[in-house]
Amino acid sequence: AMAAAVVALLALTAKGTTLASVTSAYVTPTVIKAGETFMMTVTGGGFDPINDKIMVVPSTSDCGRADAPVGSPGSVAEFALFSCAGDNSAATKLVCPGMQVYAVGAFSVCVCDHDRIFNYSSSITVGSGGPGEPSETSTTTTRTTTTTTTSHPNWGCSFKERYALGGLSFGTFQILGPDRIGTLDFRAGAP
């Protein structure tokens, strides 16, 4: 059993750094209205509370593909600067206080492991005679799709594709109404 645990730990290691893994995510307080401040806590392992980041996304979105909802932080760039080194943060827990979401709905959390190396695939279509590509030598249309995989080491957390861990299966939370998108008066204590 001990040998299996050592092998599992080595499998999660890249360049001497343990890769992050997510076990669960939850919010405090458990009842949140749009625009209210809350704290997100993510449990798991291999976290770096200073450099690993989280991003709140609509629960219908996939981690690594979703944009941030309107709130504070409200963009990938803002989440990349947002601290998850709150009280009791450790290699097993990210604590991210001071968050707000202005939209009503169900949300989940995605995690950026700042030093994980992901492989990104993209398809590129080239050819002649396709739309916008008239062929002068042939009436046959030729289209080729090439898929390339590029490794982007240590991109940090400035790209939404880096927030690939977590998601719907690790917990969701509700933001209750009324919707506060575009409303500034609630910040001054208005009902």
Side-chain angles (χ1 to χ4, degrees):
M2 181 64 149
V6 170
V7 170
L9 181 60
L10 291 175
L12 293 173
T13 304
K15 297 183 181 180
T17 303
T18 302
L19 298 179
S21 62
V22 176
T23 305
S24 68
Y26 59 92
V27 295
T28 309
T30 55
V31 177
I32 309 163
K33 291 183 181 176
E36 291 182 342
T37 301
F38 63 93
M39 178 172 61
M40 174 63 67
T41 302
V42 179
T43 62
F47 294 133
D48 175 346
I50 301 297
N51 294 307
D52 291 347
K53 306 296 180 178
I54 67 155
M55 183 166 65
V56 172
V57 299
S59 64
T60 55
S61 300
D62 293 329
C63 287
R65 294 192 171 120
D67 291 314
V70 176
S72 177
S75 68
V76 175
E78 289 177 5
F79 274 105
L81 297 173
F82 192 74
S83 175
C84 283
D87 290 345
N88 298 317
S89 285
T92 58
K93 183 174 15 176
L94 296 175
V95 179
C96 316
M99 303 185 79
Q100 295 176 322
V101 174
Y102 303 150
V104 172
F107 296 88
S108 58
V109 65
C110 302
V111 177
C112 169
D113 183 358
H114 83 285
D115 56 0
R116 180 178 290 219
I117 298 173
F118 287 103
N119 288 324
Y120 299 91
S121 295
S122 60
S123 295
I124 304 167
T125 303
V126 293
S128 63
E133 299 176 346
S135 173
E136 296 176 10
T137 59
S138 172
T139 57
T140 305
T141 301
T142 304
R143 310 237 0 121
T144 305
T145 302
T146 305
T147 301
T148 57
T149 302
T150 308
S151 180
H152 299 285
N154 204 11
W155 255 7
C157 295
S158 297
F159 300 90
K160 69 182 177 184
E161 293 82 5
R162 299 286 295 160
Y163 293 82
L165 304 174
L168 182 62
S169 61
F170 296 98
T172 62
F173 62 98
Q174 290 288 128
I175 301 291
L176 305 175
D179 204 317
R180 297 293 188 172
I181 296 176
T183 306
L184 296 177
D185 60 353
F186 74 95
R187 293 184 192 169

